[in-house]
Structure formats: structure tokens, C-alpha cells
Amino acid sequence: MVRQRILSGIQPTGNLHLGNYLGAIRNWIDLQQEYDAFLFMADLHAITVPHDPRRLAADTYKVAATYIACGIDPARATIFVQSHLSAHAELAWLFNCLTPLNWLERMIQFKEKAVKQGENVSIGLLDYPVLQAADILLYEPDLVPVGEDQKQHLELTRDIANRLNFQYGSQESPLLKVPEPLIREAGARVMSLSDGTRKMSKSDPSEQSRIDLSDPPEVIIKKIKRAKTDQERGLWFDDPARPECHNLLNLYMLLSQQSKAAVAAECASMGWGQFKPRLGEAMVTALAPIQTRLAELMGDRTYLEGILRQGREKAASVANVTLTRVKDALGYSRPL
Ligand code: TRP
């Protein structure tokens, strides 16, 4: 039987953090057993906000190494760099010309990011979800695992696919496969250490708000010690009045691989002074093997390049078929 396909990606900007691991990558690790996984570094998306050209390539390699260090198996999954395949930008252009502008002006993430950028809003920032639609539709995935914040982009992807199918496809042979989103449940969401109501994020100016996957043990311990808490005695899950308490317990649960009930019982009568060192230790222990593997991989550029070359070839063999089909349907001549 043919395995169903999943596709997802992360933007290589800055270091990956605990939220990327527990929220996204760990999910992919489970999914790669059952699904044909296509996982990429969205480096074309990385320049939709001002970026540092001296870091782009290194950051992209580091994300690839991080995928593998966390447990993505390059023998099972296809790992590739978005910009290494021209099909992404090319299909995005075709989609651009067929997507109504007002579909993009509605995007919540654009509105939020545009406010932050002030004067400096590029067309790319507005166009970001169209490129994402191209990323996805090129590979005809069955499922696209993403966080809650990407839900609207997935709906846009489906809208674009349906629109092209309607305008240029036929009943018997749809032009594009319409994928389903696989939205992570809220429990997998890792929140900021400085504000339990906000997502842990690369773009938060405060380093203290997140744990980078490459933070050394002493930094991890210090960040946990300084993490925002409250004045209550005892620790419990799911109290909307205690978002930080919920987040830190949730992190402890995920990192120590215990059930929620076990953690709730263990921590019910603890104070922060007792809990925080435990959380810090669980985090250091869970990240240690990933950090060791990451250091090894970062020292073996040839190996990484081989993986990415192989990934690109496999990805191209799928992407180019879809791109040609779309170009044919739009009436383009084929290069001779
Ligand atoms: N926009 C996604 C994010 O910020 C990254 C991304 C780009 C992506 N292209 C994609 C995710 C295609 C899934 C599928 O998380």
C-alpha cells in the first residue's frame, strides 16, 4: 500500500527553540513512521522580513541538522531546502496571478507582522501565504501538520487549489490535490517563559522568553529560575488565571514523558522553589542527546550536504511533475 504523504516546514531564522521541538518536530518524528514525510527549510519565507545575508545559509543548515538531531530519519523522510528548488518560486508566481488580492489582505498574520514592520512592509510579506500554498500543493500531501497560527494559511491553500481546479481542471482529473490541515492540539503549544499567554517565539526580542535548543545547561537552569510565576501555593494544570503555571507543568510533562495525571499528582503540593530545579533538570536531560548529535552534525558538513542533495532530487521529482501539469493547464508552451 502507498503511504500517505505529509509536508511541513520551518523558517530558518534564528535558533530553533523548545516550542519548535515540542510543538512541531516531535510530531513529525511520530508521523514519519506512518507517512511519507517531506520536511523543508522555508528559506524563501525567511526574507519576507529584513534578514542578515551572512547568516541565512548557516541558519538553514543548522535547521536541517536540528531536524536530524531531534530524530527525523533522513532515510525515511525527504529533507530539503526550499530555495534549492526553483519550482516553489515559479508556482508561487503562477498562483499570484490567479489569487485575488483581497484574500491576502485578510490574513491575520500579515496584519500582525505588518504592524510590527511599520514602513518596511514588503510585497513578499503580503505574498507569504501564496508561496506557502505553492510549497504545499507542489507535493500533493494528504496532510499538512502545522500549529494553530497557520490554520488560515492552510485554508487559503485549499481555496487556491479549489479555484484552480474549478477554472483549469476537469471533474475527472483535478489539477491540484486539496490537502487537509493537521492542526496540533493546544496541549502541544509551548508558551513564552515571560508571559504564559503568548507563544514561545523566535521573534520575541527577549532571549529569556524562550529556551533555544542549543542553550547550554547553565543557561537553561538560569532561564527556568527566572521564568515568570505567581504567588499561589501548590501547582495545577488548566487554570486560566495561572497561564504560567500551566505552561511550566506542561513542559515538565512533555520533557519527562509522564502522563498529565502523574505530573499533577507529583506537583500538587509543590512550591516554585521545589518545582523549578526539577523542571530545569528534566529539560537539560531531555536536550542533552539532541545537543550532542547536533554538534556532531554541524561538524560534518559533507554528510549534511549529501542529505540535502538527496532530498532536493527526491523533492524535484515530485515538484516538477506538478509544476508542469499546472503550466500545461494554463496554456504554456513547453521548453524544447
Ligand atoms: N509559515 C510556516 C510557519 O511559519 C512555515 C511554512 C512555510 C510552512 N511553508 C510551509 C508550513 C508549508 C507548512 C507547509 O510555521
Side-chain angles (χ1 to χ4, degrees):
M1 214 189 82
V2 197
R3 282 191 300 168
Q4 288 206 328
R5 183 173 295 155
I6 58 163
L7 171 129
S8 198
I10 295 181
Q11 273 186 60
T13 30
N15 289 317
L16 292 193
H17 53 68
L18 204 55
N20 298 121
Y21 172 53
L22 295 174
I25 301 174
R26 237 174 54 155
N27 234 342
W28 303 347
I29 292 164
D30 294 337
L31 291 164
Q32 72 179 338
Q33 305 306 329
E34 220 186 301
Y35 291 89
D36 181 20
F38 280 63
L39 303 169
F40 68 101
M41 281 61 74
D43 59 344
L44 294 173
H45 280 104
I47 69 161
T48 53
V49 293
H51 84 292
D52 181 352
R54 288 163 306 186
R55 290 194 47 182
L56 185 58
D59 283 351
T60 304
Y61 270 93
K62 191 167 176 193
V63 172
T66 305
Y67 287 179
I68 300 168
C70 288
I72 299 295
D73 177 1
R76 291 189 80 84
T78 305
I79 304 170
F80 62 99
V81 181
Q82 184 187 33
S83 68
H84 291 182
L85 290 118
S86 54
H88 290 248
E90 195 174 347
L91 187 62
W93 175 257
L94 302 177
F95 285 175
N96 274 336
C97 298
L98 302 166
T99 304
L101 181 59
N102 66 14
W103 287 9
L104 294 173
E105 288 167 336
R106 291 203 289 264
M107 293 290 121
I108 296 158
Q109 199 175 70
F110 169 71
K111 289 193 244 179
E112 286 173 359
K113 287 192 185 176
V115 169
K116 281 195 212 153
Q117 294 300 315
E119 301 273 279
N120 216 346
V121 178
S122 69
I123 292 175
L125 190 64
L126 177 67
D127 202 27
Y128 180 117
V130 175
L131 177 60
Q132 185 166 349
D135 297 339
I136 296 170
L137 297 173
L138 277 174
Y139 297 95
E140 311 196 286
D142 297 279
L143 294 174
V144 184
V146 284
E148 179 72 29
D149 62 325
Q150 296 297 314
K151 207 170 163 178
Q152 205 185 19
H153 292 166
L154 262 293
E155 277 158 20
L156 182 92
T157 300
R158 290 166 55 87
D159 288 345
I160 290 176
N162 284 321
R163 184 178 174 88
L164 267 81
N165 285 343
F166 180 73
Q167 290 186 345
Y168 302 99
S170 65
Q171 278 289 348
E172 316 77 67
S173 62
L175 189 56
L176 295 161
K177 177 175 172 124
V178 184
E180 295 292 331
L182 182 64
I183 309 285
R184 290 189 287 280
E185 71 315 346
R189 233 174 144 201
V190 174
M191 312 307 280
S192 158
L193 297 184
S194 334
D195 177 352
T197 63
R198 290 208 331 260
K199 215 173 79 152
M200 188 177 281
S201 159
K202 286 183 267 206
S203 54
D204 192 317
S206 160
E207 294 270 340
Q208 163 61 39
S209 72
R210 66 183 158 262
I211 304 282
D212 284 339
L213 290 178
S214 41
D215 279 345
E218 56 294 356
V219 173
I220 295 179
I221 302 288
K222 192 155 48 162
K223 284 182 176 174
I224 295 299
K225 206 164 166 186
R226 291 195 188 149
K228 183 176 174 199
T229 53
D230 55 26
Q231 305 295 329
E232 294 279 351
R233 298 203 53 84
L235 306 176
W236 55 85
F237 283 98
D238 296 316
D239 185 340
R242 303 187 73 193
E244 287 80 20
C245 180
H246 178 81
N247 185 43
L248 296 180
L249 283 176
N250 191 48
L251 280 177
Y252 183 59
M253 175 185 84
L254 294 170
L255 292 164
S256 63
Q257 312 230 30
Q258 299 184 72
S259 70
K260 192 170 174 180
V263 170
E266 180 187 342
C267 306
S269 56
M270 276 189 196
W272 290 114
Q274 198 185 354
F275 173 72
K276 279 185 162 182
R278 241 183 243 215
L279 172 60
E281 208 168 295
M283 205 172 279
V284 168
T285 309
L287 293 186
I290 295 175
Q291 296 184 339
T292 308
R293 184 86 182 99
L294 181 59
E296 282 167 13
L297 288 160
M298 290 305 284
D300 193 348
R301 177 80 173 206
T302 318
Y303 171 76
L304 264 188
E305 282 172 354
I307 298 295
L308 295 179
R309 187 176 319 117
Q310 192 188 303
R312 183 179 65 80
E313 281 165 12
K314 171 97 182 286
S317 72
V318 178
N320 291 334
V321 174
T322 308
L323 180 62
T324 302
R325 191 171 64 246
V326 173
K327 289 176 79 174
D328 284 350
L330 295 184
Y332 282 97
S333 62
R334 286 195 182 183
L336 301 171

